[in-house]
């Protein structure tokens, strides 16, 4: 299967620049993966498709203000750093722009001396490892003061309220991007679902930019994913297993929740408590082991995300659904509309 197989034409004006209000008023395309049938609804209609005993799995990661600007000690040059994931000893893997100014041993100061960092390594893919000179926990407080929310490059309008790029249930700091399928939920909607007997479970996968990197190879199978850190608690594992044993469905909210569940299921042949790093790449031909239904947004052409969705719902069904979404003028990408695949 070729990367070009996942291309579709998208008018620029369908790329959502701002979120809708309220969150659950976004449109929702419902796709039946068995028949290919498409129904047009709104996200607040989700409960029509859920039954008592079903379980929603949400990714509770929280986006950090990961875009920071450093001044190089030697030259005064300004370099943009995008923190991707935290390593040991207060080291972070990051993207740098322009990278040529951030060579090994270069030292930068941030926030007019609030914190300094040294480039300790340049990785094969061009990412840098930098080490801050502050306590590993203190860096989050510093980022709140000097960092900016790392919105995707296709969003060109300034976001006035940073919480709109966070889910209402976000709590575990560590992501460089939001798990955007969850942005449609309100606290009131979650309570309404619970009152209907829908179970809510949480996993954590800290979203790096590897998920969003363009696929640069023609042969899909040759693409390599960057790893991301995940955690699946004992409580959530038991909830999922009980749901399955009762003949009910596990509905994954987003590709990040999906990759977490399928990583654990692939690793052990079952769902159990686990923590680790995953670089799972799901594309057509993959046999899903845990997820029964999926809530997701509309993704970029030729991305690993549209490949995952195609693996779940069927390639022809998904490409037809995307053509329909364009024809019906759905809003695309992070602040866009949603899709429920059942």
């Amino acid at each position: 299967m070729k990367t070009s197989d996942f291309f579709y034409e998208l008018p620029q004006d369908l790329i959502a620049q701002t979120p809708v209000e309220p969150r659950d008023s976004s449109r929702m395309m419902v796709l039946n993966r068995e028949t290919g049938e498409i129904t047009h609804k709104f996200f607040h209609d989700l409960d029509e498709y859920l039954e008592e005993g079903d379980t929603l799995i949400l990714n509770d990661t929280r986006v950090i203000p990961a875009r920071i600007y450093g001044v190089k000690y030697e030259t005064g040059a300004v370099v943009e750093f995008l923190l991707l994931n935290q390593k040991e000893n207060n080291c972070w893997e990051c993207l740098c722009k322009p990278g040529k100014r951030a060579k090994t041993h270069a030292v930068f100061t941030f926030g007019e001396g609030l914190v300094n960092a040294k480039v300790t390594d340049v990785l094969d893919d061009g990412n840098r490892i930098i080490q801050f000179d502050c306590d590993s926990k203190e860096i989050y407080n510093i980022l709140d003061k000097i960092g900016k929310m790392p919105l995707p490059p296709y969003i060109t309008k300034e976001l006035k309220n940073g919480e709109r790029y966070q889910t209402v249930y976000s709590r575990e700091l560590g992501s460089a991007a939001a798990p955007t399928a969850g942005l449609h939920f309100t606290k009131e909607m979650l309570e309404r679902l619970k009152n209907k007997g829908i179970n809510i479970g949480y996993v954590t996968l800290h979203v790096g930019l590897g998920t969003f990197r363009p696929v640069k190879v023609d042969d899909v199978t040759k693409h390599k994913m960057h790893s991301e850190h995940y955690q699946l608690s004992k409580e959530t594992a038991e909830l999922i297993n009980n749901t399955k044993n009762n003949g009910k469905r596990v509905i994954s909210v987003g590709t990040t929740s999906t990759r977490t569940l399928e990583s654990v299921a692939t690793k052990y042949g079952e769902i159990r408590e686990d923590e680790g790093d995953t670089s799972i790449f799901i594309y057509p031909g993959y046999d899903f082991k845990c997820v029964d239904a999926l809530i997701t947004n509309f993704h970029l052409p030729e991305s690993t995300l549209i490949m995952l969705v195609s693996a779940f719902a069927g390639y022809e069904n998904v490409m037809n659904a995307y053509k329909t979404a364009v024809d019906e003028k759905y809003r695309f990408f992070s602040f866009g509309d949603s899709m429920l695949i059942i």
Side-chain angles (χ1 to χ4, degrees), residues 50 75 93 112 150 167 266 282 301:
L50 303 182
T75 64
E93 182 178 354
E112 297 181 346
T167 62
T266 298
I282 297 175

Side-chain angles (χ1 to χ4, degrees), residues 8 16 23 38 66 71 105 124 168 179 182 208 252 274 292 296 302 319:
Y8 65 92
R23 290 173 182 255
I38 292 171
V71 178
H105 305 307
D124 292 340
V168 297
S252 180
D274 194 38
D292 300 305
T296 188
E302 300 182 335
M319 298 313 290

Side-chain angles (χ1 to χ4, degrees), residues 41-42 46 81 114 121 144 207 220 228 231 245 302 311:
K41 305 291 281 189
F42 289 91
L46 176 65
F81 291 79
L114 193 60
D121 196 10
D144 281 338
V207 188
V220 166
E228 295 166 313
Q231 186 171 12
N245 291 336
E302 300 182 335

Side-chain angles (χ1 to χ4, degrees), residues 36-94:
E37 180 184 1
I38 292 171
T39 307
H40 303 291
K41 305 291 281 189
F42 289 91
F43 195 77
H44 53 66
D45 300 321
L46 176 65
D47 57 351
E48 295 179 17
Y49 296 90
L50 303 182
E51 300 175 356
E52 182 178 353
D54 285 343
T55 294
L56 284 170
I57 298 296
L58 312 176
N59 181 6
D60 64 4
T61 189
R62 186 167 174 81
V63 185
I64 60 175
R67 180 169 280 116
I68 57 177
Y69 296 88
V71 178
K72 193 172 183 180
Y73 260 113
E74 295 177 351
T75 64
V78 177
V79 173
E80 177 186 289
F81 291 79
L82 181 59
L83 305 182
L84 300 180
N85 54 76
Q86 189 171 15
K87 306 291 187 179
E88 68 284 346
N89 301 324
N90 205 25
C91 292
W92 286 74
E93 182 178 354
C94 61

Side-chain angles (χ1 to χ4, degrees), residues 16-27 42-44 159-166 168 183-186 188 331 335-337:
Q17 293 297 314
T18 55
V20 297
E21 296 293 349
R23 290 173 182 255
D24 60 359
S25 64
S26 58
R27 296 169 74 187
F42 289 91
F43 195 77
H44 53 66
L159 183 64
K160 295 180 180 180
N161 177 9
E163 283 301 307
R164 285 303 274 109
Y165 194 58
Q166 306 278 12
V168 297
L183 294 178
H184 307 284
F185 287 95
T186 65
E188 294 77 14
R331 303 167 77 247
F335 286 143
D337 294 316

